[in-house]
Amino acid sequence: MHEKIATIEDVARHAGVSIATVSRALHKPDVVSQTTREKVQAAIATTGYTANVMARNLRLNRSGMILLLVPDIGNPFFSAILSGIEQGASKAGYNVLIGDTQNDPDREATYAAYLRSNQADAMILLNGRLPAPLANSPANATPPVVIACERIPGCGLPTVIIDNEQAAFEATTHLINHGHRKIANVAGPDNNILTVDRTAGYRRALSEHGIAIDPKLTFVGDYSIDAGIAAGRSLLADAKTRPTGLFCASDGMAIGVIVAAKELGLRVPEDVSVFGFDDIHLAAAYDPPLTTVRQPRRRLGEQAITLLLDRLDPKTPNKTGKTDPVIVPTELIIRQSTGPCPQG
Amino acid sequence: MHEKIATIEDVARHAGVSIATVSRALHKPDVVSQTTREKVQAAIATTGYTANVMARNLRLNRSGMILLLVPDIGNPFFSAILSGIEQGASKAGYNVLIGDTQNDPDREATYAAYLRSNQADAMILLNGRLPAPLANSPANATPPVVIACERIPGCGLPTVIIDNEQAAFEATTHLINHGHRKIANVAGPDNNILTVDRTAGYRRALSEHGIAIDPKLTFVGDYSIDAGIAAGRSLLADAKTRPTGLFCASDGMAIGVIVAAKELGLRVPEDVSVFGFDDIHLAAAYDPPLTTVRQPRRRLGEQAITLLLDRLDPKTPNKTGKTDPVIVPTELIIRQSTGPCPQG
DNA sequence: ACCTTCTCTGTAAACGTTTTCATTTTTCAT
DNA sequence: ATGAAAAATGAAAACGTTTACAGAGAAGGT
């Protein structure tokens, strides 16, 4: 089917040298004489030779692949992170292999096995769970793995995250500073570490301002728009108990809340303030433009790959000591979905 | 650093057999005796052996990789397509390698070279341009490449697309059927094949209803929200010449147009109807909910990988004849951003 | 007992590189 | 010219598999 592909041997024959010389001409040009170097170049040109990467990798015992484990590649949330990672990896001569785990532990394990089978040199985890094979790995030899996005408490692996607690604290504080006292927490799933951290920040803000925490003002969602709609309907229906501000753990839920608020004839932000989280692409174009916490996703990816490349670099000493998580800063983006607390 | 990894030889030694037998026990279990099979299994268990994929691939002359060329992995538009591809590939035992070309022909060429260097078995193109090395490839040997998303006229490679022309035609017709006569075309970049097709559909709808095409009612954008805002400001400012309906080549631009319309104090859809394209995730939650053309992106990805796997399958006869593009159907999603043409 | 046939296993070649080591060629001071 | 040092090259091993081939037993029919 394919025309026969040129190997290093073909090049050697054309150039009238040994394959060793061809290889050297390619990888350590300074050690080969001017004239033969030219002969080899010419031979490569005429044969159209491209090195068989698999053979080289076998010999060098590396793959040049960085495996990226992501819970759902279909979720646009990850695309910017991906982009940051891909760019850094590509610049360093690595390729990015995506493993869509679909949150399935079996698939996670399968992909994690790529590390052992030399199919990948390193791994970046975007999902907040350690694949089984890794958990059992000997404690001394830290595998070339970096956690991004969600931290995994006590796993000792290099991690890059945003400070969810602090960001939530600041967002909630912003609402408090605008006079809001009844502030709801539209949270993510209970078991999700992001939610745990964000809820902690929300609570700290209330506590520090002497506001009691009302468990009825917490809604457990799943980051989706629909969850936000449900939250809005449930929290905003009763004018008596209605919060004037809502801190939402995702822009999706914030948008859902706003949809529900409009349904109920409430104006945002005049009647109710809604704070989002993420700063998704459409946040600024929504009506009203969303006040939110900007997650620097691309930056997150860049940091993750930087950390990993650093870890992979043979020149840097092998740091076995647990390193503190790298924290990429968030930013409060104040738009028009929040405002002063209505009187009354 | 790593503890020494077990090779097939270690397994053979533990099991007291030859490496050939180990290999056979793994790949053709029926040809090896019951007892040795068990010995091998045991040896694998104790050694923790996992086959070195690189070595196997070198021997088998395949990589198990499908290279996915995407113009910008950071663009959420692609995530669902990716997901469809990844799922199909994974099911067939292939891995997906993403190549983010950033629309750079050099990067495209670099990645395309992966095919030659055995680093990838096949390729899916999500960008509408043939990488240089492919263009020069001999006409008879069709490389294992599938085009998705954007068609490349006259390239003869298997392609899967949506029928942009027809979808635009239907969308525009919908506006016409609601009484609109002055209908604008908020298009993408001129050189983009998607735009060419969509604009053709828009024009055909007008023609078939005897409506003259007013070049002033076309705005060339770049699919972004900002372009939509610019389009809206420019097209809607003058009440005299203002169109009552706008067909937009992307939901982003549709949203931008709506933002601009609201700025100008126009109501959507009472004063002006806006038709989008894509059905992005937030389309339904926008205010007003967006009428749009649903692009089945995941489906697109599924079809692409199906086509490719079919092409790769040695069992199916090698079809050299040019095949017609696979067309995945779109769907008009009528929400509230369009309505009847206002009187007057 | 002997040949045939089958089932099972081992030997060794091959895949296309890189790199060590030894060898050849060149350079250059004497 | 000569030898030593330096530079350039080639032969061959190695990376970890799969598989063609052949050989060794075992089974079974005559």
Side-chain angles (χ1 to χ4, degrees):
Chain A
M1 180 180 332
H2 296 294
E3 354 122 51
K4 186 88 176 63
I5 245 170
T7 78
I8 199 174
E9 207 164 337
D10 300 326
V11 177
R13 200 171 323 111
H14 271 77
V17 297
S18 76
I19 61 168
T21 301
V22 175
S23 177
R24 276 187 294 249
L26 286 172
H27 302 294
K28 355 187 122 156
D30 46 324
V31 87
V32 78
S33 81
Q34 169 82 17
T35 60
T36 50
R37 215 184 316 152
E38 280 163 3
K39 276 191 294 183
V40 170
Q41 296 296 357
I44 288 179
T46 67
T47 54
Y49 169 73
T50 16
N52 182 321
V53 179
M54 216 108 56
R56 149 180 308 155
N57 286 348
L58 171 59
R59 177 59 223 257
L60 298 182
N61 195 35
R62 52 159 264 162
S63 65
M65 292 283 172
I66 288 174
L67 179 60
L68 183 58
L69 249 52
V70 33
D72 176 15
I73 188 66
N75 186 339
F77 177 82
F78 295 110
S79 43
I81 304 183
L82 234 81
S83 177
I85 292 177
E86 143 75 28
Q87 185 173 310
S90 166
K91 206 172 296 174
Y94 281 95
N95 290 122
V96 175
L97 190 63
I98 37 174
D100 188 341
T101 66
Q102 292 157 30
N103 261 317
D104 174 358
D106 283 349
R107 288 181 64 90
E108 287 169 14
T110 306
Y111 279 121
Y114 281 26
L115 279 186
R116 304 210 80 216
S117 60
N118 271 349
Q119 209 169 174
D121 295 339
M123 187 160 70
I124 295 181
L125 293 179
L126 257 41
N127 54 345
R129 176 170 43 196
L130 224 48
L134 241 61
N136 318 338
S137 99
N140 55 343
T142 342
V145 175
V146 164
I147 323 269
C149 216
E150 307 193 20
R151 63 191 182 83
I152 302 180
C155 77
L157 287 169
T159 301
V160 36
I161 44 165
I162 68 160
D163 192 339
N164 285 289
E165 201 271 350
Q166 178 66 18
F169 172 80
E170 289 172 11
T172 309
T173 300
H174 177 90
L175 289 172
I176 296 173
N177 288 343
H178 279 67
H180 296 273
R181 288 299 174 270
K182 293 182 74 170
I183 301 174
N185 176 27
V186 180
D190 271 340
N191 55 358
N192 186 288
I193 188 85
L194 302 177
T195 283
V196 173
D197 291 347
R198 287 174 198 173
T199 293
Y202 158 83
R203 293 208 171 132
R204 178 158 67 90
L206 295 186
S207 300
E208 288 198 3
H209 290 82
I211 303 174
I213 288 158
D214 180 354
K216 290 202 212 71
L217 288 183
T218 286
F219 184 97
V220 173
D222 60 0
Y223 301 121
S224 72
I225 295 178
D226 285 345
I229 294 179
R233 286 180 185 153
S234 135
L235 292 167
L236 300 175
D238 185 353
K240 295 281 194 310
T241 62
R242 175 187 302 155
T244 63
L246 297 94
F247 166 66
C248 306
S250 79
D251 282 349
M253 292 199 293
I255 286 173
V257 165
I258 295 175
V259 168
K262 288 178 179 172
E263 268 180 17
L264 294 166
L266 297 170
R267 292 162 306 160
V268 180
E270 292 81 358
D271 298 322
V272 55
S273 284
V274 180
F275 214 116
F277 208 111
D278 284 349
D279 194 29
I280 60 174
H281 186 225
L282 268 78
Y286 199 69
D287 183 9
L290 223 55
T291 292
T292 189
V293 175
R294 172 173 297 165
Q295 285 214 58
R297 279 175 290 192
R298 157 170 275 276
R299 194 73 213 301
L300 206 73
E302 288 169 355
Q303 278 292 328
I305 188 69
T306 302
L307 225 59
L308 189 61
L309 291 173
D310 185 79
R311 165 81 176 68
L312 245 36
D313 191 348
K315 275 172 298 191
T316 57
N318 202 11
K319 32 187 98 172
T320 54
K322 301 195 175 191
T323 51
D324 287 334
V326 172
I327 296 179
V328 309
T330 56
E331 190 185 349
L332 253 47
I333 307 289
I334 309 301
R335 297 200 186 93
Q336 283 94 64
S337 70
T338 55
C341 182
Q343 312 301 347
Chain B
M1 181 182 327
H2 295 295
E3 354 121 50
K4 187 89 176 65
I5 242 168
T7 79
I8 198 175
E9 205 163 338
D10 301 324
V11 177
R13 200 173 322 111
H14 271 77
V17 297
S18 76
I19 61 168
T21 302
V22 175
S23 178
R24 275 187 294 252
L26 286 171
H27 302 295
K28 351 187 124 153
D30 46 325
V31 88
V32 78
S33 82
Q34 168 82 19
T35 60
T36 50
R37 215 182 319 149
E38 281 162 2
K39 275 190 296 183
V40 170
Q41 296 295 358
I44 287 179
T46 67
T47 55
Y49 169 74
T50 17
N52 183 321
V53 179
M54 216 107 58
R56 150 180 308 156
N57 286 348
L58 171 60
R59 177 60 225 255
L60 297 181
N61 197 35
R62 51 157 264 161
S63 65
M65 293 282 172
I66 289 176
L67 178 60
L68 183 57
L69 248 51
V70 33
D72 176 16
I73 188 65
N75 186 339
F77 177 83
F78 295 109
S79 43
I81 303 182
L82 234 83
S83 178
I85 292 176
E86 142 76 25
Q87 185 172 311
S90 165
K91 206 173 295 172
Y94 282 95
N95 290 122
V96 175
L97 189 63
I98 37 172
D100 187 340
T101 66
Q102 292 156 29
N103 260 318
D104 174 358
D106 283 349
R107 289 181 65 90
E108 287 170 15
T110 305
Y111 279 120
Y114 282 26
L115 279 185
R116 306 209 79 215
S117 59
N118 271 349
Q119 209 168 173
D121 295 339
M123 187 161 70
I124 296 181
L125 292 179
L126 256 43
N127 54 344
R129 174 169 44 195
L130 224 47
L134 241 64
N136 317 339
S137 99
N140 55 344
T142 343
V145 175
V146 163
I147 323 269
C149 216
E150 309 193 18
R151 63 191 183 83
I152 302 180
C155 77
L157 288 168
T159 299
V160 37
I161 42 164
I162 69 160
D163 193 339
N164 285 288
E165 201 271 350
Q166 178 66 19
F169 171 82
E170 289 173 9
T172 309
T173 301
H174 176 89
L175 289 171
I176 297 173
N177 288 344
H178 279 68
H180 296 272
R181 288 298 174 268
K182 290 181 74 169
I183 301 176
N185 176 27
V186 181
D190 269 340
N191 55 358
N192 186 286
I193 188 85
L194 302 177
T195 283
V196 173
D197 291 347
R198 287 173 198 173
T199 293
Y202 157 83
R203 295 210 169 131
R204 178 160 66 93
L206 295 186
S207 300
E208 288 197 5
H209 290 82
I211 304 175
I213 288 159
D214 181 353
K216 291 203 210 69
L217 288 183
T218 285
F219 184 98
V220 174
D222 61 1
Y223 299 123
S224 71
I225 295 178
D226 285 344
I229 294 180
R233 287 181 185 155
S234 133
L235 291 168
L236 300 175
D238 184 356
K240 296 280 193 313
T241 61
R242 176 188 301 155
T244 62
L246 296 93
F247 165 66
C248 306
S250 78
D251 282 350
M253 291 200 293
I255 285 173
V257 165
I258 295 176
V259 168
K262 287 178 178 171
E263 269 179 17
L264 294 167
L266 297 170
R267 294 161 305 159
V268 179
E270 291 82 358
D271 299 320
V272 55
S273 284
V274 180
F275 214 115
F277 207 110
D278 284 351
D279 195 28
I280 60 174
H281 186 227
L282 268 78
Y286 199 70
D287 183 10
L290 223 55
T291 292
T292 188
V293 175
R294 172 171 296 165
Q295 284 214 60
R297 279 175 290 193
R298 158 171 274 276
R299 194 76 213 299
L300 205 72
E302 288 168 355
Q303 278 293 328
I305 188 69
T306 302
L307 224 58
L308 189 61
L309 290 172
D310 185 80
R311 166 80 178 69
L312 284 175
D313 191 350
K315 274 172 297 193
T316 55
N318 202 11
K319 30 186 101 170
T320 54
K322 301 194 177 190
T323 52
D324 287 335
V326 172
I327 295 179
V328 310
T330 56
E331 190 185 350
L332 254 46
I333 307 290
I334 308 302
R335 297 201 184 93
Q336 282 93 61
S337 69
T338 55
C341 183
Q343 311 301 344

